[in-house]
Amino acid sequence: MLLTVSGPPGSGKSTNAELLADRFGLDYVSGGDLFRELADERGYSPVEFNELAEEEAQIDKDLDRRLRTVAATRDAVLLESRLAGWLAAEHADLRFWLDAPLDVRAERIAAREDKTVAEARAVTKRREQSEAKRYQELYDIDIADLGIYDVTINTARWGEMAVPDLLANAVERYDETVDEGKYPVEGVRYDF
């Protein structure tokens, strides 16, 4: 089974993806971890590397190629990244999108990164705008189009342990024999 978990920064995607992967015995592959590793290797902070990626398209392409390859070649994996659902496309059994209002996400980010909420909000907003622009230019992906996802959840609505249970319930109720089947994502240029 291949699951994807996507969402903006601070939505709880990493936390919930790890819990979901553990619950179902899936390997966990994080696009954020891969991106931070690439940034660190080149001596940049993730925000600086994100901005550099606006000028150097190959940064996104290298990361996204790796993620798409994982989706195409591995089973029993949970793929987590902003574009995981788009990149896994026809290989995914279920695609989840997690979100929360920007102010809630900024508070979460501020708490984990020891920033003020105002700083976290500004950096997050700038990062999201940068990424949305790049995804559109590189792949014709409108990151605001949630139509490809099987389940979308506002993580600010439930307690910390309720969201993993909601996700797990969807996985447990998934039956590939009656499902309409895996389907491609239309209009994306997988030009790596």
Side-chain angles (χ1 to χ4, degrees):
M1 174 175 287
L2 173 64
L3 305 177
T4 70
V5 176
S6 300
S11 63
K13 70 181 169 305
S14 297
T15 300
N16 285 289
E18 287 183 69
L19 290 169
L20 193 62
D22 187 51
R23 191 163 180 168
F24 290 97
L26 304 173
D27 290 337
Y28 173 65
V29 177
S30 166
D33 288 347
L34 293 175
F35 187 83
R36 284 183 284 279
E37 285 175 19
L38 290 169
D40 190 50
E41 287 169 13
R42 293 184 61 179
Y44 292 97
S45 74
V47 171
E48 293 167 332
F49 201 52
N50 208 30
E51 291 171 350
L52 181 62
E54 288 182 14
E55 306 300 323
E56 292 183 27
Q58 198 58 48
I59 292 171
D60 281 320
K61 290 180 177 188
D62 289 345
L63 174 63
D64 297 338
R65 181 184 323 102
R66 289 181 194 180
L67 293 169
R68 179 117 169 111
T69 299
V70 168
T73 62
R74 291 180 57 188
D75 200 16
V77 67
L78 189 146
L79 189 62
E80 176 261 314
S81 81
R82 204 104 55 251
L83 291 182
W86 293 93
L87 295 172
E90 71 277 10
H91 304 291
D93 290 287
L94 291 172
R95 291 177 274 206
F96 299 107
W97 178 265
L98 305 183
D99 205 348
L102 178 58
D103 288 338
V104 171
R105 294 185 293 112
E107 287 177 18
R108 292 173 179 171
I109 292 166
R112 76 175 182 223
E113 296 181 6
D114 196 29
K115 295 179 178 178
T116 68
V117 173
E119 283 177 307
R121 189 179 201 288
V123 167
T124 300
K125 192 171 182 178
R126 187 175 84 212
R127 178 178 174 189
E128 289 177 22
Q129 291 169 341
S130 168
E131 290 173 348
K133 177 183 173 188
R134 291 197 325 269
Y135 301 153
Q136 187 69 52
E137 289 173 356
L138 290 173
Y139 310 123
D140 284 333
I141 291 174
D142 176 2
I143 195 69
D145 176 4
L146 303 182
I148 69 159
Y149 295 97
D150 299 300
V151 177
T152 61
I153 297 175
N154 176 349
T155 62
R157 292 280 184 195
W158 288 275
E160 189 174 311
M161 291 314 296
V163 175
D165 288 342
L166 291 169
L167 296 171
N169 190 34
V171 173
E172 288 164 353
R173 292 177 181 267
Y174 172 70
D175 181 353
E176 68 182 72
T177 63
V178 296
D179 181 50
E180 63 190 10
K182 298 177 185 180
Y183 57 93
V185 176
E186 302 292 327
V188 176
R189 284 190 324 263
Y190 297 109
D191 178 25
F192 305 119

